[in-house]
């Protein structure tokens, strides 16, 4: 991925080398040509964590090149990450830009209700340049059935119009409570199937794309670019999942501050 004739300064070359090692572990040597070293080196490296990572060594993560992290705060209206305080506060103390995310379970309760639970349990936001906007994780139902016992394992048993209404309710409540629209984490396949290719959210909601490949690929309906890209799930150099921010470090801080 890094190029021998790349006219990068030493610090950027070191970052490119780090990205080579991460990409090599994730993608294999054959895929590295599709992920240019200089381009990746220019994008801040980050990760996301949950209770699976328990007490994270944030100094080590920072030393490995982490610039930002998203921390799971809540799920539905019944779960709070017991490690949230150590993870969220520890990341900030180590000098990482950090934010909180909510795992949505749309068949359990309305979007506004889950957003309220999220904001009350760590999903807030401050224009301090160190706090990322709240994020909502929208993906395949991991529990296999919807709340009524039906086979709603992909879209939680909701029709596209019901799903988009749920998302709008969640977004409106987060905006009311924090002043920011949430970042939407999703895959192109889930979004297009479960929202009916809705284009209603792209203008106001940054995209956190999940795609474990050498390139971002096709984006969910409506979005023309990604803000975060989760390109590897669980086995990279950083604790949790591996991510990139689609900009510079300065742009990351401005994004966090709402500018």
């Amino acid at each position: 991925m890094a190029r021998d004739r790349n006219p990068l300064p030493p610090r950027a070359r070191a970052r490119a080398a780090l990205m080579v090692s991460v990409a090599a572990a994730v993608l294999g040597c054959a895929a590295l040509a599709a992920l240019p070293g200089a381009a990746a080196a220019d994008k801040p490296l980050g990760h996301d964590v949950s209770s699976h990572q328990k007490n994270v060594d944030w100094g080590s993560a920072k030393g490995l090149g982490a610039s930002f992290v998203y921390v799971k705060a809540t799920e539905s209206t019944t779960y709070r990450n017991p490690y949230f305080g150590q993870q969220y506060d520890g990341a900030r103390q180590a000098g990482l830009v950090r934010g909180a995310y909510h795992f949505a379970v749309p068949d359990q309760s309305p979007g506004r209700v889950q957003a309220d639970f999220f904001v009350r349990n760590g999903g807030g936001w401050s224009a301090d340049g160190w706090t990322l906007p709240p994020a909502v994780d929208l993906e395949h139902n991991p529990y296999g059935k919807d709340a009524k016992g039906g086979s709603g394992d992909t879209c939680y048993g909701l029709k596209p119009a019901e799903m988009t209404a749920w998302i709008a309710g969640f977004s409106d409540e987060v905006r009311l409570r924090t002043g920011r629209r949430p970042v939407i984490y999703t895959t192109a396949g889930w979004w297009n199937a479960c929202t009916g290719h809705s284009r209603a959210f792209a203008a106001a909601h940054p995209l956190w794309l999940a795609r474990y490949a050498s390139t971002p690929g096709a984006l969910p309906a409506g979005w023309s670019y990604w803000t975060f890209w989760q390109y590897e799930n669980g086995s990279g150099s950083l604790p949790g999942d591996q991510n990139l921010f689609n900009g510079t470090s300065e742009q990351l801080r401005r994004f966090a501050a709402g500018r």
Side-chain angles (χ1 to χ4, degrees), residues 23-82:
V26 173
L27 305 171
C29 294
L32 292 183
L35 194 60
D42 289 340
K43 299 185 187 304
L45 176 67
H47 55 137
D48 58 272
V49 298
S50 67
S51 62
H52 293 295
Q53 284 68 51
K54 299 184 179 180
N55 291 315
V56 176
D57 184 343
W58 291 108
S60 175
K62 177 73 171 178
L64 287 169
S67 297
F68 67 91
V69 66
Y70 263 108
V71 178
K72 181 175 181 178
T74 52
E75 179 173 325
S76 187
T77 57
T78 56
Y79 175 82
R80 294 179 293 178
N81 175 6

Side-chain angles (χ1 to χ4, degrees), residues 83-220:
Y83 296 93
F84 181 78
Q86 190 277 342
Q87 294 175 345
Y88 191 77
D89 296 336
R92 172 65 185 90
Q93 291 166 7
L96 276 68
V97 179
R98 83 286 193 252
Y101 77 89
H102 173 80
F103 188 91
V105 189
D107 64 336
Q108 295 294 317
S109 52
R112 287 186 178 274
V113 174
Q114 291 194 29
D116 173 72
F117 181 74
F118 173 46
V119 173
R120 287 189 289 106
N121 291 280
W125 176 75
S126 173
D128 56 5
W130 292 99
T131 308
L132 294 169
V136 58
D137 182 339
L138 293 160
E139 60 177 271
H140 185 97
N141 181 358
Y143 303 112
K145 292 184 180 297
D146 60 33
K148 299 177 182 179
S151 57
D153 56 325
T154 296
C155 303
Y156 298 85
L158 301 185
K159 297 176 181 178
E162 295 171 327
M163 184 64 76
T164 55
W166 191 98
I167 298 168
F170 186 96
S171 174
D172 287 347
E173 186 67 19
V174 169
R175 173 68 175 81
L176 178 66
R177 301 287 296 279
T178 71
R180 294 290 299 265
R181 292 287 182 185
V183 172
I184 290 178
Y185 168 99
T186 195
T187 66
W190 186 94
W191 183 266
N192 293 338
C194 295
T195 71
H197 291 80
S198 175
R199 306 176 68 88
F201 297 90
H205 299 78
L207 173 64
W208 181 2
L209 177 70
R211 184 173 190 264
Y212 312 130
S214 60
T215 62
L219 302 182

